[in-house]
Every structure is written in structure tokens, then in C-alpha cells.
Amino acid sequence: MKILILQSSPRAKGSTAWMAEEYKKAAEAAGHEVTLVNVSKKKIAGCLACEYCHNKGNGACIQKDDMQELYPLMAEAEVLVLASPIYYFTLNAQIQAPIQRMYSVNSPAKVKKMALLMSSYSPGVYDGAIAEFRDICNYWNVENMGFVSAKNDEQKTEETKQKILALVSKL
């Protein structure tokens, strides 16, 4: 399967990046083709709600930024993995922009499954992100493979790695 991981932590060696790398390694070891993109390093603006994409644009966004690199990757992906640190009880802004910019095409054409990887420094802060993820899966009519969360004392541990491997086994 073609898997696209959108990793949104600005910390290159942080827990979210580690989780995304562990998922990538496990999926590749299982024979899948994996592309990991650190969207925190991309210049992707939020949706303008201008409706150009649904009128004159025929599905193309009027904004020409780094999202142009993601559209073809998302169009070919069969599995989409979102990896985000939790900021103020939800997915961070760096991953919100590409998610919301998918409005121009409504949903990724080939994506059939999605998974979510999250890290934070606090317990009990995941409900908002999980609800949003669940709603995206439902709206896009894709299988929700589940999520792995890792609070401060669970980050970069063997236990968290095993949970990630369990997610990969659902492919």
C-alpha cells in the first residue's frame, strides 16, 4: 500500500517525529511504500474560503504554496497517517492547514484508511484531536485504524513503539 505520513511537529527530534519515524520503519519493513512529509517545514496557508476551487478552479486551489507538493501525494495515498503534537487540546496548526486545504478536492481520492499519532506533555488532552480525527474519517468515508497517544512519560518508549506496531499491523 502507498502510505503518506504527515508529521507536523517543529521539533525534528521530538516525540511526534519519533512516532512518525517508527511507523514509517515498521510499514516499510512490512513491504509498504511510505512517504513521510514534515509539514511543519512547509509554507502552507489556511483555506481562504474563496470558493475558487469549486468554481473557476475545477478542484484546484487559487493559492500556490507548498500545498502543491502535497496534493499529488495525497491523491495517490491509500493510507494517510496524521502525526501531531497536541497544542491546547487539539491537533497543531501545522497539520490543520493541509487538512483544511483538502477542501478543494473534498477528500483524497484513494485513501481508504487513516491513523493518528499524537504526543503531549500532559495526560487527558487528546479528546478534541480524537474527535476531529474521527470526524474526518467519517466525512471522507475512510476506515479509522485508530490512534496512539504518548504523554510525557510514554514518549520514545518500547511500550509506545509496540502500540505503533499494532497500528501498522492493521494495514
Side-chain angles (χ1 to χ4, degrees):
M1 298 185 94
K2 286 188 176 184
I3 301 169
L4 176 61
I5 302 171
L6 299 181
Q7 193 283 110
S8 64
S9 176
R11 295 181 179 168
K13 301 222 185 282
S15 297
T16 303
W18 176 83
M19 293 172 82
E21 282 294 333
E22 290 298 320
Y23 192 101
K24 181 179 188 284
K25 287 190 283 187
E28 287 175 338
H32 301 284
E33 181 183 330
V34 183
T35 302
L36 191 156
V37 178
N38 184 345
V39 296
S40 76
K41 302 299 182 202
K42 303 292 182 187
K43 300 286 186 210
I44 302 174
C47 178
L48 299 173
C50 66
E51 290 297 326
Y52 176 86
C53 59
H54 294 136
N55 296 311
K56 295 178 185 177
N58 295 315
C61 182
I62 196 167
Q63 299 182 84
K64 303 304 178 213
D65 56 14
D66 290 346
M67 188 64 190
Q68 301 310 308
E69 299 170 29
L70 294 185
Y71 285 126
L73 296 173
M74 291 183 87
E76 292 301 316
E78 298 166 282
V79 177
L80 179 61
V81 179
L82 305 178
S84 176
I86 301 302
Y87 295 171
Y88 284 90
F89 305 95
T90 194
L91 303 173
N92 71 352
Q94 291 89 331
I95 206 159
Q96 292 288 354
I99 290 169
Q100 292 172 9
R101 288 281 294 284
M102 287 305 293
Y103 175 72
S104 65
V105 295
N106 193 38
S107 65
K110 296 181 182 178
V111 170
K112 301 294 178 229
K113 298 180 178 193
M114 288 181 66
L116 176 62
L117 306 172
M118 304 171 286
S119 66
S120 75
Y121 282 103
S122 303
V125 295
Y126 302 105
D127 291 348
I130 293 167
E132 179 179 358
F133 173 72
R134 182 193 61 237
D135 290 347
I136 292 168
C137 290
N138 289 339
Y139 183 73
W140 287 352
N141 196 31
V142 300
E143 179 185 335
N144 177 344
M145 294 172 43
F147 65 89
V148 173
S149 62
K151 63 181 174 44
N152 195 32
D153 61 343
E154 299 168 332
Q155 295 171 1
K156 299 183 182 181
T157 65
E158 185 60 30
E159 182 181 342
T160 297
K161 183 177 179 178
Q162 291 305 313
K163 290 176 183 178
I164 293 167
L165 294 174
L167 262 187
V168 172
S169 72
K170 295 179 180 182
L171 293 171

PDB file of all heavy atoms in Angstrom, residues 42-48 61-72 97-98 101:
ATOM      1  N   LYS A  42       6.934  23.278   5.857  1.00  0.00           N
ATOM      2  CA  LYS A  42       6.322  23.757   4.616  1.00  0.00           C
ATOM      3  C   LYS A  42       5.597  25.078   4.867  1.00  0.00           C
ATOM      4  O   LYS A  42       5.149  25.354   5.961  1.00  0.00           O
ATOM      5  CB  LYS A  42       5.316  22.733   4.072  1.00  0.00           C
ATOM      6  CG  LYS A  42       5.892  21.359   3.818  1.00  0.00           C
ATOM      7  CD  LYS A  42       6.856  21.381   2.676  1.00  0.00           C
ATOM      8  CE  LYS A  42       7.395  19.995   2.389  1.00  0.00           C
ATOM      9  NZ  LYS A  42       8.443  20.034   1.387  1.00  0.00           N
ATOM     10  N   LYS A  43       5.484  25.854   3.831  1.00  0.00           N
ATOM     11  CA  LYS A  43       4.706  27.096   3.866  1.00  0.00           C
ATOM     12  C   LYS A  43       3.341  26.791   3.263  1.00  0.00           C
ATOM     13  O   LYS A  43       3.177  26.763   2.041  1.00  0.00           O
ATOM     14  CB  LYS A  43       5.397  28.208   3.067  1.00  0.00           C
ATOM     15  CG  LYS A  43       6.781  28.560   3.567  1.00  0.00           C
ATOM     16  CD  LYS A  43       6.706  29.336   4.849  1.00  0.00           C
ATOM     17  CE  LYS A  43       8.098  29.800   5.244  1.00  0.00           C
ATOM     18  NZ  LYS A  43       8.295  29.929   6.639  1.00  0.00           N
ATOM     19  N   ILE A  44       2.384  26.499   4.134  1.00  0.00           N
ATOM     20  CA  ILE A  44       1.037  26.157   3.695  1.00  0.00           C
ATOM     21  C   ILE A  44       0.063  27.084   4.414  1.00  0.00           C
ATOM     22  O   ILE A  44      -0.070  27.036   5.639  1.00  0.00           O
ATOM     23  CB  ILE A  44       0.686  24.682   3.987  1.00  0.00           C
ATOM     24  CG1 ILE A  44       1.700  23.755   3.293  1.00  0.00           C
ATOM     25  CG2 ILE A  44      -0.735  24.372   3.541  1.00  0.00           C
ATOM     26  CD1 ILE A  44       1.543  22.291   3.632  1.00  0.00           C
ATOM     27  N   ALA A  45      -0.601  27.900   3.648  1.00  0.00           N
ATOM     28  CA  ALA A  45      -1.564  28.852   4.215  1.00  0.00           C
ATOM     29  C   ALA A  45      -2.902  28.156   4.473  1.00  0.00           C
ATOM     30  O   ALA A  45      -3.198  27.110   3.896  1.00  0.00           O
ATOM     31  CB  ALA A  45      -1.761  30.020   3.253  1.00  0.00           C
ATOM     32  N   GLY A  46      -3.699  28.759   5.297  1.00  0.00           N
ATOM     33  CA  GLY A  46      -5.031  28.245   5.561  1.00  0.00           C
ATOM     34  C   GLY A  46      -5.968  28.499   4.392  1.00  0.00           C
ATOM     35  O   GLY A  46      -5.698  29.328   3.511  1.00  0.00           O
ATOM     36  N   CYS A  47      -7.058  27.791   4.379  1.00  0.00           N
ATOM     37  CA  CYS A  47      -8.079  27.971   3.343  1.00  0.00           C
ATOM     38  C   CYS A  47      -8.645  29.392   3.420  1.00  0.00           C
ATOM     39  O   CYS A  47      -8.902  29.918   4.499  1.00  0.00           O
ATOM     40  CB  CYS A  47      -9.187  26.949   3.545  1.00  0.00           C
ATOM     41  SG  CYS A  47     -10.553  27.088   2.385  1.00  0.00           S
ATOM     42  N   LEU A  48      -8.839  30.007   2.268  1.00  0.00           N
ATOM     43  CA  LEU A  48      -9.378  31.369   2.191  1.00  0.00           C
ATOM     44  C   LEU A  48     -10.904  31.402   2.091  1.00  0.00           C
ATOM     45  O   LEU A  48     -11.499  32.477   2.122  1.00  0.00           O
ATOM     46  CB  LEU A  48      -8.796  32.095   0.971  1.00  0.00           C
ATOM     47  CG  LEU A  48      -7.286  32.275   0.952  1.00  0.00           C
ATOM     48  CD1 LEU A  48      -6.828  32.852  -0.384  1.00  0.00           C
ATOM     49  CD2 LEU A  48      -6.843  33.157   2.104  1.00  0.00           C
ATOM     50  N   CYS A  61      -6.841  24.772  -5.960  1.00  0.00           N
ATOM     51  CA  CYS A  61      -6.824  25.929  -5.054  1.00  0.00           C
ATOM     52  C   CYS A  61      -6.149  27.114  -5.732  1.00  0.00           C
ATOM     53  O   CYS A  61      -5.179  26.945  -6.480  1.00  0.00           O
ATOM     54  CB  CYS A  61      -6.074  25.551  -3.780  1.00  0.00           C
ATOM     55  SG  CYS A  61      -6.027  26.860  -2.539  1.00  0.00           S
ATOM     56  N   ILE A  62      -6.633  28.287  -5.452  1.00  0.00           N
ATOM     57  CA  ILE A  62      -6.048  29.502  -6.023  1.00  0.00           C
ATOM     58  C   ILE A  62      -4.677  29.797  -5.426  1.00  0.00           C
ATOM     59  O   ILE A  62      -3.834  30.420  -6.068  1.00  0.00           O
ATOM     60  CB  ILE A  62      -7.002  30.714  -5.846  1.00  0.00           C
ATOM     61  CG1 ILE A  62      -6.577  31.854  -6.781  1.00  0.00           C
ATOM     62  CG2 ILE A  62      -7.062  31.149  -4.387  1.00  0.00           C
ATOM     63  CD1 ILE A  62      -7.616  32.951  -6.923  1.00  0.00           C
ATOM     64  N   GLN A  63      -4.424  29.320  -4.212  1.00  0.00           N
ATOM     65  CA  GLN A  63      -3.152  29.580  -3.551  1.00  0.00           C
ATOM     66  C   GLN A  63      -2.075  28.641  -4.094  1.00  0.00           C
ATOM     67  O   GLN A  63      -2.289  27.441  -4.198  1.00  0.00           O
ATOM     68  CB  GLN A  63      -3.275  29.366  -2.045  1.00  0.00           C
ATOM     69  CG  GLN A  63      -4.283  30.297  -1.400  1.00  0.00           C
ATOM     70  CD  GLN A  63      -4.335  30.093   0.089  1.00  0.00           C
ATOM     71  OE1 GLN A  63      -3.519  30.659   0.811  1.00  0.00           O
ATOM     72  NE2 GLN A  63      -5.275  29.286   0.553  1.00  0.00           N
ATOM     73  N   LYS A  64      -0.952  29.191  -4.421  1.00  0.00           N
ATOM     74  CA  LYS A  64       0.163  28.399  -4.954  1.00  0.00           C
ATOM     75  C   LYS A  64       1.309  28.438  -3.947  1.00  0.00           C
ATOM     76  O   LYS A  64       2.221  29.243  -4.036  1.00  0.00           O
ATOM     77  CB  LYS A  64       0.609  28.925  -6.321  1.00  0.00           C
ATOM     78  CG  LYS A  64      -0.498  28.967  -7.357  1.00  0.00           C
ATOM     79  CD  LYS A  64      -1.167  27.624  -7.556  1.00  0.00           C
ATOM     80  CE  LYS A  64      -2.309  27.708  -8.556  1.00  0.00           C
ATOM     81  NZ  LYS A  64      -3.388  26.799  -8.268  1.00  0.00           N
ATOM     82  N   ASP A  65       1.227  27.548  -2.976  1.00  0.00           N
ATOM     83  CA  ASP A  65       2.246  27.457  -1.938  1.00  0.00           C
ATOM     84  C   ASP A  65       2.721  26.012  -1.864  1.00  0.00           C
ATOM     85  O   ASP A  65       2.504  25.236  -2.803  1.00  0.00           O
ATOM     86  CB  ASP A  65       1.703  27.973  -0.601  1.00  0.00           C
ATOM     87  CG  ASP A  65       0.437  27.258  -0.150  1.00  0.00           C
ATOM     88  OD1 ASP A  65       0.096  26.197  -0.712  1.00  0.00           O
ATOM     89  OD2 ASP A  65      -0.225  27.764   0.772  1.00  0.00           O
ATOM     90  N   ASP A  66       3.330  25.615  -0.767  1.00  0.00           N
ATOM     91  CA  ASP A  66       3.869  24.262  -0.652  1.00  0.00           C
ATOM     92  C   ASP A  66       2.806  23.167  -0.630  1.00  0.00           C
ATOM     93  O   ASP A  66       3.137  21.986  -0.751  1.00  0.00           O
ATOM     94  CB  ASP A  66       4.761  24.143   0.584  1.00  0.00           C
ATOM     95  CG  ASP A  66       6.067  24.901   0.447  1.00  0.00           C
ATOM     96  OD1 ASP A  66       6.414  25.303  -0.686  1.00  0.00           O
ATOM     97  OD2 ASP A  66       6.753  25.093   1.468  1.00  0.00           O
ATOM     98  N   MET A  67       1.554  23.538  -0.509  1.00  0.00           N
ATOM     99  CA  MET A  67       0.489  22.538  -0.593  1.00  0.00           C
ATOM    100  C   MET A  67       0.496  21.870  -1.965  1.00  0.00           C
ATOM    101  O   MET A  67       0.063  20.725  -2.095  1.00  0.00           O
ATOM    102  CB  MET A  67      -0.870  23.192  -0.290  1.00  0.00           C
ATOM    103  CG  MET A  67      -2.016  22.225  -0.155  1.00  0.00           C
ATOM    104  SD  MET A  67      -1.812  21.114   1.258  1.00  0.00           S
ATOM    105  CE  MET A  67      -3.127  19.952   0.935  1.00  0.00           C
ATOM    106  N   GLN A  68       1.026  22.557  -2.962  1.00  0.00           N
ATOM    107  CA  GLN A  68       1.102  21.980  -4.309  1.00  0.00           C
ATOM    108  C   GLN A  68       1.927  20.691  -4.310  1.00  0.00           C
ATOM    109  O   GLN A  68       1.686  19.803  -5.131  1.00  0.00           O
ATOM    110  CB  GLN A  68       1.692  22.989  -5.309  1.00  0.00           C
ATOM    111  CG  GLN A  68       0.912  24.287  -5.422  1.00  0.00           C
ATOM    112  CD  GLN A  68      -0.574  24.078  -5.647  1.00  0.00           C
ATOM    113  OE1 GLN A  68      -0.969  23.350  -6.551  1.00  0.00           O
ATOM    114  NE2 GLN A  68      -1.392  24.679  -4.811  1.00  0.00           N
ATOM    115  N   GLU A  69       2.892  20.571  -3.396  1.00  0.00           N
ATOM    116  CA  GLU A  69       3.684  19.344  -3.263  1.00  0.00           C
ATOM    117  C   GLU A  69       2.856  18.208  -2.659  1.00  0.00           C
ATOM    118  O   GLU A  69       3.094  17.039  -2.955  1.00  0.00           O
ATOM    119  CB  GLU A  69       4.898  19.586  -2.372  1.00  0.00           C
ATOM    120  CG  GLU A  69       5.869  20.622  -2.878  1.00  0.00           C
ATOM    121  CD  GLU A  69       6.912  20.978  -1.825  1.00  0.00           C
ATOM    122  OE1 GLU A  69       7.244  20.126  -0.971  1.00  0.00           O
ATOM    123  OE2 GLU A  69       7.392  22.121  -1.844  1.00  0.00           O
ATOM    124  N   LEU A  70       1.901  18.559  -1.804  1.00  0.00           N
ATOM    125  CA  LEU A  70       1.118  17.536  -1.105  1.00  0.00           C
ATOM    126  C   LEU A  70      -0.057  17.003  -1.911  1.00  0.00           C
ATOM    127  O   LEU A  70      -0.421  15.832  -1.758  1.00  0.00           O
ATOM    128  CB  LEU A  70       0.599  18.081   0.232  1.00  0.00           C
ATOM    129  CG  LEU A  70       1.643  18.412   1.281  1.00  0.00           C
ATOM    130  CD1 LEU A  70       0.973  18.828   2.581  1.00  0.00           C
ATOM    131  CD2 LEU A  70       2.576  17.247   1.529  1.00  0.00           C
ATOM    132  N   TYR A  71      -0.661  17.825  -2.742  1.00  0.00           N
ATOM    133  CA  TYR A  71      -1.837  17.353  -3.496  1.00  0.00           C
ATOM    134  C   TYR A  71      -1.566  16.056  -4.258  1.00  0.00           C
ATOM    135  O   TYR A  71      -2.347  15.104  -4.140  1.00  0.00           O
ATOM    136  CB  TYR A  71      -2.360  18.436  -4.441  1.00  0.00           C
ATOM    137  CG  TYR A  71      -3.117  19.555  -3.764  1.00  0.00           C
ATOM    138  CD1 TYR A  71      -2.758  20.872  -3.968  1.00  0.00           C
ATOM    139  CD2 TYR A  71      -4.202  19.301  -2.924  1.00  0.00           C
ATOM    140  CE1 TYR A  71      -3.449  21.917  -3.358  1.00  0.00           C
ATOM    141  CE2 TYR A  71      -4.891  20.330  -2.302  1.00  0.00           C
ATOM    142  CZ  TYR A  71      -4.511  21.632  -2.528  1.00  0.00           C
ATOM    143  OH  TYR A  71      -5.202  22.658  -1.917  1.00  0.00           O
ATOM    144  N   PRO A  72      -0.479  15.946  -5.032  1.00  0.00           N
ATOM    145  CA  PRO A  72      -0.261  14.682  -5.743  1.00  0.00           C
ATOM    146  C   PRO A  72       0.026  13.510  -4.803  1.00  0.00           C
ATOM    147  O   PRO A  72      -0.398  12.382  -5.072  1.00  0.00           O
ATOM    148  CB  PRO A  72       0.935  14.957  -6.652  1.00  0.00           C
ATOM    149  CG  PRO A  72       1.407  16.321  -6.378  1.00  0.00           C
ATOM    150  CD  PRO A  72       0.465  16.975  -5.418  1.00  0.00           C
ATOM    151  N   ALA A  97      -3.626  23.206   8.513  1.00  0.00           N
ATOM    152  CA  ALA A  97      -3.638  23.850   7.190  1.00  0.00           C
ATOM    153  C   ALA A  97      -3.757  22.830   6.056  1.00  0.00           C
ATOM    154  O   ALA A  97      -4.659  22.956   5.213  1.00  0.00           O
ATOM    155  CB  ALA A  97      -2.424  24.750   7.014  1.00  0.00           C
ATOM    156  N   PRO A  98      -2.918  21.795   5.984  1.00  0.00           N
ATOM    157  CA  PRO A  98      -3.096  20.842   4.885  1.00  0.00           C
ATOM    158  C   PRO A  98      -4.417  20.069   4.944  1.00  0.00           C
ATOM    159  O   PRO A  98      -5.018  19.791   3.900  1.00  0.00           O
ATOM    160  CB  PRO A  98      -1.908  19.898   4.992  1.00  0.00           C
ATOM    161  CG  PRO A  98      -1.156  20.273   6.198  1.00  0.00           C
ATOM    162  CD  PRO A  98      -1.693  21.555   6.730  1.00  0.00           C
ATOM    163  N   ARG A 101      -7.032  22.507   3.651  1.00  0.00           N
ATOM    164  CA  ARG A 101      -6.858  22.808   2.235  1.00  0.00           C
ATOM    165  C   ARG A 101      -7.332  21.665   1.338  1.00  0.00           C
ATOM    166  O   ARG A 101      -7.521  21.850   0.140  1.00  0.00           O
ATOM    167  CB  ARG A 101      -5.403  23.145   1.938  1.00  0.00           C
ATOM    168  CG  ARG A 101      -4.959  24.501   2.485  1.00  0.00           C
ATOM    169  CD  ARG A 101      -5.387  25.672   1.640  1.00  0.00           C
ATOM    170  NE  ARG A 101      -4.746  25.678   0.346  1.00  0.00           N
ATOM    171  CZ  ARG A 101      -3.477  26.049   0.134  1.00  0.00           C
ATOM    172  NH1 ARG A 101      -2.718  26.490   1.127  1.00  0.00           N
ATOM    173  NH2 ARG A 101      -2.978  26.003  -1.073  1.00  0.00           N
TER     174      ARG A 101
END
